[in-house]
Amino acid sequence: MKKTILYALFMLLAAISAQAQNITVHGTVLSKTDDEPLIGASVMSEAMKTGASTDIDGRFSLKVPEGSKITISYVGYLPLTLVAEPEMTIHLSEDIEILDEVVVVGYSSEKKSDLTGSVSVVKMKDVSDTPTGNVIQALQGRVAGMNITTDGTPGGLSTGTSIRGASSFRSEANGPLYVIDGVMTRENPGTILNSNDVESIQVLKDAASASIYGAQAANGVIIITTKRAKKGESRVTFDATLTLQTYQSGLDMLNADQWGDVYWSAYKYSYGTTPTSELYGSGATPKLQPYVNLNGVMVNPQNTDWEKEIHRTALMQTYSVGLSRGDENGSSSLSLSWLDHDGIIKGSDFQKANARFSSDYGFINNRLRAGGNVTVNWWRQHNAPGEIEKNAIKMHPARTVYDSEGNYNDQVAFGLNDTPNIMRQISEEANNKHEYWRVFGNAYLSVEPIKNLIIKTNFGLNYHNGNDKTFTPANLRDKTNSLYQYSSKTTDWVWTNTAQYNADFGKNSIMALLGIEAKRNHFEDMFGEGKGLEIEDPDYLYLGNVTSNKNTGSGASNYSMFSVFGKLNYTWDNKYLVSFTLRRDASSRLSTSHNYDWFPSVSAGWRISQESFMEGTRSWLSDLKIRGAYGVNGNDIIANDAFYAKYAMDLDRAAYATGGGNTLMPGALRSRSTNPDLTWEKTYQTNVGFDASLLNSRLSLSVDYFHKRTDDMLVEKPYIATIGEGGYCWYNGGSMVNKGFEISAEWRQSLNKDFSYSVGLNVTAMKNEVTDLMKDIYYTWGGGNGIDKSIVGHALGSWLGYKTDGVFRTQEEVDAYMARYNVSFGSPAVGRVRYVDANGDGEINDRDRTWLGTDLPKAQFGLSFGANWKQFDLSLFFSSIIRDAWNNSKYYTDFFPLWTGNHGTQLLGAAKAYDRYLQTGYYDSSVPAPSIDNNNKENEDSDYYIEDGSFLRLKTLSLGYTLPKNIQNKLKMQNARVYFQAQNLLTLTSYSGADPEGLGYPYALPRQYTFGIQFGF
């Protein structure tokens, strides 16, 4: 009985206790910045797994257990977790990272949450540690829809960028427009900016976001904003990095002895006997013989690894100092930087000095503002010789760098091939001068005559000059020295005037922008060359000292554009968004009858998460915006004088005998005809997508589908000889489509006050297709066979060639093949490539060439991971591309008769396989047998050269340590951090070429190890 009473009493107390633990929280959520209520903020109970949303006054009511915690979150603000109380006033702080996503979208800025176009915002903290001469290089793999190609060229000068694929047949017309502090340019940002000066980068990808730039935006726009001092802040900053670069690529090539073994095997395969060689003797086995250099000096052959000879371990150093000050009326800043980048190819380097000053000041209560930016750059480079990486694998391993007297060995006889001694070329190029200056900047004045109306004028200037001096001394191959000098000057200015009005009327919000813009580019250059300088001392290397083959020339060109534009954004109740843009551009490059056109766009967005019927999702869905856009952009990137008929003075083809004598005078020859109908190349873009924020803003997600069609493409088509003089002419003709998906996702979470982490992923899947061509080039342009195969229906740059089916392994296979097909292409034999009857006509001939694919990426991925624990930070970034690849190094490595230089070690296995075949009757290698003759035409394009070029690469790994705040405060410091970073550390691929990222023979991409320090006061 006592137990029953005690049990009942315990249950009653528990029930009373449970009832007492439940409390009703009445709260208000406000912005810490301005005390304004936050409408639609999410309030979640961790214990009850229920939630509520704030009303129009920022208020909420929620029943929770006493002492439990609630989490409050709102888009653009940092989430906050607090112990629940009956009455609460909660202030949320703005999320600085989100605020950094205020997007500059062309002559104005908007919150990313209000955008209706496709815009990617680069988080500069993710790339600020990466030492590079070109800030764009650091973005590789980080932006969905943007493809960046780069290599190890010092200074990042070879970096190429495309956004959502090629929109033109002309490679030079497929790069984006860069807008740096309001100044437009298509030049390499690495020669304009120091990476440490960059505050933010926005990538405008579709017509709706980029069409305000009209005819300049067909390939997207990258907007770069430099750093400025913030109000009430005075800072001194210092950044330095030291980077060790090592050579990581390369192919397994034969040494000199192995080359002889393969040669003996090839000779036996082709002729059944052993050869007689001046380099390897005439015995049963090859033995290297001494030979004579071109100067008659003896050379003792040895194994030379030419890739090791040309490469080195190199250093890169960067230093940057920044001074900035801001107060109530404005700010000013000054930065100085130095980059010293030695290349991993000997003799190549890049140095750049950069100085930037910016100011921004307000007057008359900030209703009048003035300011600007100016950057002065000087840079100098020593280049690697052309095709140096390709020539390194072509060089015969028995070629030595020097002969016995220390002269460069340039002998070309005895099967050593005719490639110049690449170490001699490196030595010569290392002394040549390539030096440049640039002044880049803008100045602006804005006035607010009435509230919310801002009238602004901005003038931007890009002035650049350069000088090149290339001297080739006399050598054993060319007894006469030569000198070439070149200088150029470019003056590029743009003047923009805008009027912008912003207003809110209850639930209505509008932004209206009107503007006019004029830009002009003037370019001029001159060159001189000659031979036979009597003195090769550097102090005498001038054109006045050449004695023969003198030649000089100069040229100039001008380009101008005039534009008017307007934009209107309208938002109702923070739910419905619409934007209209219209721009009219007139270009001097096009026909006077068709040199202007209109480029419109329209976009709309629906923040569906704000609708009342979505209230049930607010516990897990913080924000959801659906958007769509359509617009038109143009492209006029052709020669400045493309519209005009051109004439050239020519003594050979247009000479006249005057006065009845034998003296010829040069006459004028028409080199190009005019086209009075030449007009704009136009790109029509459609984009639909959505942006979402989920799970208390921990997960952000953005998805886009795009369709990008270009019509009336500008092309200087080939012409038949019967047209005669002036056959070249620019036309409009051809169409191309790019379409695909982009996905960007990021998860951010703080597990406690000491540890937080983030994981980001971006994915791009895209397809390119040429959809139409002009009738008279339908079967010839782009790789067509001139008869019945057109690139129409295939990707730009697709391969046309033969399909193969391995190699012949037995004589029975060869006999059956010959019995089945009428063979007029190739010479079937054991160990030779087997060609496929692609068209099924029973013949093997050139009509079997078919389309084999393209190396354009099928999909691209970027995966990032970041973590912070106390004062430590760790980040990893992986980049991946899924694609096929044309491995043209196989031309040298796999086929002995195609080149007298070096070959790959796989031929050793092929030679042994042929020896086994002679014993067993079966050839067991997938590599063709070494042979002397190319009877099977294996130099022709075929899918034998195509491989899986996909890869996954750990691009960056960074570990940093930041000094604790209390120590920083004692030292009067604002920040203090040291870090270590490694780049290109790991690559997973099945590609057998040198590097799956840089196909072909680019300057090798190095592995890099960086130590850096950052501190500021």
Side-chain angles (χ1 to χ4, degrees), residues 48-59:
M48 303 294 288
K49 306 301 181 185
T50 59
S53 297
T54 57
D55 60 19
I56 193 171
D57 297 316
R59 297 172 180 168

Side-chain angles (χ1 to χ4, degrees), residues 15 32 40 224 243 246 308 354 362 371 451 496 618 636 666 679 684 738 808 849 871 932 959 995 1006:
K32 191 174 183 179
I224 301 174
T243 300
T246 62
K308 287 185 177 179
N354 184 91
K451 186 177 181 181
T496 307
R618 289 176 184 167
D636 69 338
T679 187
Y684 303 83
N738 290 280
F808 292 102
R849 287 190 301 161
Q871 275 69 55
I932 296 299
L959 177 64
D995 189 344

Side-chain angles (χ1 to χ4, degrees), residues 162-168 174 219 708 710 736 738 766 768 796:
S162 66
I163 298 174
R164 291 184 169 178
S167 63
S168 176
N174 283 317
N219 305 302
K708 182 177 175 182
T710 305
M736 185 163 58
N738 290 280
M766 183 169 60
N768 172 277
L796 183 67

Side-chain angles (χ1 to χ4, degrees), residues 284-596:
T285 58
K287 184 178 181 181
L288 282 168
Q289 308 293 315
Y291 59 91
V292 178
N293 195 5
L294 293 178
N295 58 357
V297 175
M298 187 63 65
V299 177
N300 294 310
Q302 61 186 42
N303 292 314
T304 304
D305 187 333
W306 286 98
E307 287 187 327
K308 287 185 177 179
E309 288 292 336
I310 69 170
H311 292 106
R312 64 183 176 183
T313 297
L315 292 178
M316 173 170 57
Q317 304 172 68
T318 68
Y319 304 94
S320 179
V321 176
L323 308 172
S324 60
R325 180 181 179 86
D327 56 31
E328 293 295 327
N329 297 317
S331 65
S332 59
S333 62
L334 171 68
S335 69
L336 303 171
S337 64
W338 170 254
L339 168 69
D340 189 352
H341 188 176
D342 290 334
I344 60 170
I345 293 180
K346 295 175 181 177
S348 63
D349 57 42
F350 178 87
Q351 294 89 34
K352 180 176 70 173
N354 184 91
R356 185 184 67 90
F357 177 77
S358 68
S359 65
D360 182 12
Y361 283 92
F363 309 90
I364 317 175
N365 295 323
N366 283 330
R367 300 188 70 173
L368 175 67
R369 299 198 67 84
N373 304 270
V374 61
T375 299
V376 179
N377 286 328
W378 168 89
W379 71 97
R380 178 180 61 202
Q381 62 194 84
H382 293 101
N383 300 322
E387 296 191 321
I388 185 70
E389 296 282 0
K390 180 179 180 180
N391 288 337
I393 69 168
K394 289 165 60 176
M395 293 291 289
H396 198 290
R399 290 268 303 269
T400 60
V401 178
Y402 304 103
D403 62 23
S404 60
E405 293 185 356
N407 304 298
Y408 285 111
N409 178 12
D410 263 309
Q411 177 60 274
V412 297
F414 320 121
L416 294 174
N417 77 49
D418 62 354
T419 304
N421 188 316
I422 53 179
M423 290 304 297
R424 172 178 60 80
Q425 292 182 312
I426 286 175
S427 176
E428 293 169 355
E429 181 59 44
N431 295 315
N432 290 328
K433 174 185 175 183
H434 309 277
E435 194 168 14
Y436 311 92
W437 283 91
R438 186 188 300 279
V439 178
F440 187 97
N442 72 299
Y444 78 89
L445 179 69
S446 69
V447 61
E448 188 176 9
I450 62 174
K451 186 177 181 181
N452 297 327
L453 174 64
I454 297 176
I455 300 173
K456 183 178 181 180
T457 182
N458 185 84
F459 184 83
L461 175 68
N462 177 12
Y463 173 81
H464 165 245
N465 69 21
N467 292 282
D468 296 88
K469 179 185 286 188
T470 302
F471 175 69
T472 304
N475 55 69
L476 297 179
R477 293 170 64 108
D478 189 347
K479 305 298 184 182
T480 306
N481 58 35
S482 62
L483 176 66
Y484 175 84
Q485 287 188 254
Y486 176 82
S487 64
S488 65
K489 181 179 70 175
T490 301
T491 304
D492 200 355
W493 60 260
V494 56
W495 187 20
T496 307
N497 298 277
T498 59
Q500 181 177 340
Y501 182 73
N502 297 272
D504 295 316
F505 307 98
K507 294 184 177 182
N508 301 278
S509 177
I510 66 168
M511 188 282 287
L513 175 74
L514 292 174
I516 60 172
E517 186 171 79
K519 63 182 300 185
R520 183 174 177 82
N521 174 281
H522 174 74
F523 170 81
E524 59 184 63
D525 66 348
M526 63 179 63
F527 76 92
E529 60 184 349
K531 293 186 175 184
L533 288 88
E534 296 294 339
I535 302 176
E536 293 191 350
D537 187 288
D539 292 334
Y540 293 88
L541 298 182
Y542 295 98
L543 288 172
N545 294 328
V546 301
T547 59
S548 63
N549 297 91
K550 294 181 180 180
N551 184 29
T552 60
S554 63
S557 66
N558 294 284
Y559 165 62
S560 59
M561 178 179 283
F562 182 79
S563 311
V564 295
F565 54 88
K567 183 174 185 177
L568 177 65
N569 291 349
Y570 173 74
T571 302
W572 185 80
D573 198 21
N574 202 34
K575 299 178 185 177
Y576 310 111
L577 310 101
V578 64
S579 178
F580 302 93
T581 301
L582 183 63
R583 180 164 176 137
R584 180 187 184 273
D585 284 317
S587 169
S588 64
R589 289 173 173 155
L590 303 173
S591 161
T592 53
S593 302
H594 305 281
N595 67 348
Y596 73 89

Side-chain angles (χ1 to χ4, degrees), residues 793-857:
H794 302 275
L796 183 67
S798 291
W799 308 306
L800 186 70
Y802 297 92
K803 288 188 175 182
T804 64
D805 184 19
V807 298
F808 292 102
R809 300 190 179 278
T810 66
Q811 187 59 45
E812 288 77 15
E813 287 183 7
V814 175
D815 295 340
Y817 185 85
M818 295 296 290
R820 181 177 180 182
Y821 299 112
N822 178 16
V823 179
S824 59
F825 175 84
S827 181
V830 174
R832 303 269 51 89
V833 171
R834 182 206 306 255
Y835 296 107
V836 172
D837 179 19
N839 63 358
D841 64 356
E843 297 185 21
I844 306 296
N845 54 30
D846 60 1
R847 288 184 175 271
D848 287 312
R849 287 190 301 161
T850 188
W851 295 102
L852 303 175
T854 176
D855 62 7
L856 294 179

Side-chain angles (χ1 to χ4, degrees), residues 954-973:
L954 176 55
K955 290 293 293 183
T956 59
L957 182 153
S958 184
L959 177 64
Y961 176 78
T962 300
L963 208 62
K965 277 294 181 183
N966 59 334
I967 299 179
Q968 291 186 36
N969 293 336
K970 289 180 181 179
L971 299 175
K972 308 296 184 183
M973 302 181 74

